[in-house]
């Protein structure tokens, strides 16, 4: 059950991070942008779930093995990115998280979001 939460949080968190790039898709971009606007206020919940479940699996795999997998690393990073404002990292690092977009640092964030979506989908079909 926790693995399913990790995979779903990777998919939804990646979607929220990649919406700047996904909204540019020709026929479905407007619908995806509407869904992102509805999901946006709950992004911090997705971030908490990603951070907690990814952190749990990261600790378990560091202590008892067999090895650290990319699912939990992506989950932890996705959680931190989604909780950037809530964790008050803007004042600690002196940097604001760029908006997801199709150029510059926002493009890097959007590409990471697409990677998180793919990792979440891979986690759904990978046996534990």
């Amino acid at each position: 059950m926790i693995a399913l939460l990790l995979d779903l949080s990777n998919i939804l968190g990646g979607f929220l991070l990649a919406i700047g790039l996904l909204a540019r898709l020709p026929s479905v971009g407007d619908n995806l942008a509407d869904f992102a606007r509805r999901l946006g206020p709950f992004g911090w919940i997705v971030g908490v779930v990603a951070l907690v479940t990814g952190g749990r699996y990261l600790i378990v795999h560091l202590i008892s093995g067999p090895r650290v997998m990319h699912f939990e690393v992506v989950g932890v990073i996705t959680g931190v990115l989604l909780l950037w404002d809530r964790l008050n990292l803007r004042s600690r690092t002196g940097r604001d998280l760029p908006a997801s977009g199709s150029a510059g640092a926002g493009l890097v964030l959007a590409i990471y979001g697409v990677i998180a979506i793919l990792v979440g989908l891979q986690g759904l079909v990978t046996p534990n």
Side-chain angles (χ1 to χ4, degrees):
M1 184 68 180
I2 295 177
L4 178 64
L5 286 175
L6 176 62
D7 297 333
L8 291 176
S9 65
N10 277 338
I11 292 170
L12 291 175
F15 174 75
L16 287 173
L17 293 173
I19 193 59
L21 195 60
L22 295 175
R24 297 180 55 104
L25 291 173
S27 41
V28 293
D30 294 334
N31 295 334
L32 292 176
D34 285 341
F35 181 65
R37 272 192 288 279
R38 290 186 201 138
L39 185 64
F42 304 103
W44 69 273
I45 296 172
V46 174
V48 168
V49 171
L51 194 59
V52 169
T53 56
R56 179 204 180 268
Y57 277 112
L58 186 65
I59 291 170
V60 166
H61 288 150
L62 281 172
I63 293 173
S64 64
R67 65 182 188 280
V68 174
M69 293 188 222
H70 60 286
F71 306 108
E72 56 252 18
V73 174
V74 169
V76 169
I77 293 171
T78 301
V80 168
L81 289 175
L82 288 174
L83 293 172
W84 190 266
D85 291 334
R86 301 245 179 193
L87 294 174
N88 202 16
L89 294 177
R90 181 185 319 161
S91 65
R92 293 180 186 174
T93 61
R95 294 185 175 172
D96 197 13
L97 196 64
S100 178
S102 60
L107 178 62
V108 173
L109 188 65
I111 290 172
Y112 175 79
V114 170
I115 292 170
I117 292 170
L118 293 175
V119 166
L121 290 173
Q122 180 191 9
L124 287 177
V125 298
T126 302
N128 290 338

